[in-house]
Amino acid sequence: MGDIKINKKSNLLEQDPYNYQLQDVEEPNLMREFFEYTEIPKVSFNFRRNPLGMPKEIWITDTTFRDGQQSREPYTVEQIVDIYKMMSRLSGPNGKIRQTEFFVYSERDRRAIYKCRELGLEFPEITTWIRAKREDFKLVHDIGVKETGILVSCSDYHIFTKLGMNRRQAMEHYLSVISDAFDAGVMPRCHLEDITRSDFYGFVVPFVKAIQELAEEANMPVRIRACDTLGYGIPYVGVAMPRSVPGIIYGLQHYAGVPSEMIEWHGHNDFYKAVTNAATAWLYGAAAVNTTLFGIGERTGNVPLEAMVFEYAQLRGTLDGMDTTVITELAEYYENKIGYHLPEQTPFVGKNFNVTKAGIHADGLLKNEEIYNIFDTKKFLNRPPLVSINQNSGAAGVAVWLNEKYRLEGERKVDKHSEVVRYIKSWIDDQYENGRVSVIGADEIDTLVNKFVTGEAEGNW
């Protein structure tokens, strides 16, 4: 049995008899009970509960310039510098976007790192991602970067099928590479790829414990990134391992001895759970969640950075200095400078995210914008709520549109009974009665307003 001692997190006497050893197996355990491949993956419950344990401090990290570039054409150096500067402003004085991750292999990548470092910004700290090779650590060290990511795939799918090794061989190989990082004076960030299909107790825990022992010997810190590579993670209470996000985070802390501040969650959105899984990782003890701007990344994408900014505010009751108006600037930069189209319904940044089209909703918006707006979007995103003008907008929708477009306030505001609104509404009705199917453009409304103001308006209104 294990020793009885005070747990510094719970401040209770606890007995922990678990000391997980590497389970070296001859054949890969592909966990067919969960992942049959010809069937939809199964969510199994064992009803084991992990205690909530949000760290005293939590933060966001970014991989826009690494994972985010693996699904699209590379950014130019100028674009990376521009985005980095905006990301720093979004991060705020308390550095809530703590780090951002770069590739390091091409001349363009290295030039971007140098240009960003020349700005002298404290946050986000520049880190890198490299192949697990000794010469790559020297490259990182010579550039002057203090921390780098190393891929240490941990499921049997990767160990046996991709690497052609068994578990012991993989573990020994990984540990020698991590030792090389320490020798080069670089802090390693170990990317536990495919953790949600791994033998958590038979490989991950003993491996991470061995990493911790190496770090202790080297007298250097090491970061552990839990990578939900295919989005298999499940946030629900009582889910069986290895798909349980609470179980993974709890296990890394309590069985592998990793402190919260050294645990980072990296998720993908294959099953629409990226944001929820990331928030769950925070709640159960991971200090950091890894993101990309607008969730741009491989396949279904990563955890969207902007989503976790607002998740942070909801969980902590404060933005802690983050400037959320920069999110809108970043969206406009992607649309106008990079040429990347953000889907209209994307939360916080899509063209339609706070736009209503139904007339009955517009009527509520006209009376009180809180009725149909999630928060003060003008304050936090420089985007007041709007209506889209079509056959369903009604007079109220026209009134809201005019007030927002022309910034009409106080006595100058119009309502659905105003003459200019009646005139425009009559014209819109005529358009759709005559077979129009498209929405009404802003330039068309501007023309009608100009006609009304100059006295050129005609018709029965």
Side-chain angles (χ1 to χ4, degrees), residues 389 401 405-406 436 439-449:
I389 304 301
W401 195 96
K405 173 67 186 299
Y406 296 106
R436 180 166 180 157
V439 298
I440 307 296
D443 55 339
E444 294 176 288
I445 304 293
D446 288 338
T447 299
L448 293 171
V449 170

Side-chain angles (χ1 to χ4, degrees), residues 268-324:
H268 284 262
N269 200 36
D270 298 70
F271 290 90
Y272 279 106
K273 290 186 175 70
V275 172
T276 305
N277 282 340
T280 299
W282 267 342
L283 288 170
Y284 283 87
V289 295
N290 191 235
T291 66
T292 62
L293 280 169
F294 315 123
I296 299 168
E298 283 193 285
R299 299 186 320 279
T300 58
N302 298 62
V303 179
L305 185 151
E306 66 280 5
M308 298 317 294
V309 167
F310 288 107
E311 198 72 16
Y312 181 100
Q314 291 181 86
L315 290 171
R316 305 296 265 200
T318 174
L319 282 164
D320 274 333
M322 286 186 281
D323 182 358
T324 52

Side-chain angles (χ1 to χ4, degrees), residues 9 49-55 58 192 195-196 198 200-201 204-205 208 224-228 233-235 239 241-267 276-290:
K9 289 187 173 63
R49 292 172 176 263
N50 305 107
L52 288 167
M54 181 180 275
I58 59 173
L192 296 170
I195 197 169
T196 46
S198 68
F200 188 78
Y201 301 110
V204 173
V205 171
V208 173
I224 302 297
R225 179 182 286 183
C227 301
D228 185 17
I234 300 293
V239 168
M241 295 292 276
R243 297 187 69 181
S244 169
V245 177
I248 289 169
I249 302 303
Y250 181 87
L252 288 173
Q253 290 182 86
H254 294 272
Y255 302 136
V258 186
S260 285
E261 61 270 21
M262 289 297 165
I263 300 176
E264 180 181 31
W265 177 262
H266 171 97
T276 305
N277 282 340
T280 299
W282 267 342
L283 288 170
Y284 283 87
V289 295
N290 191 235

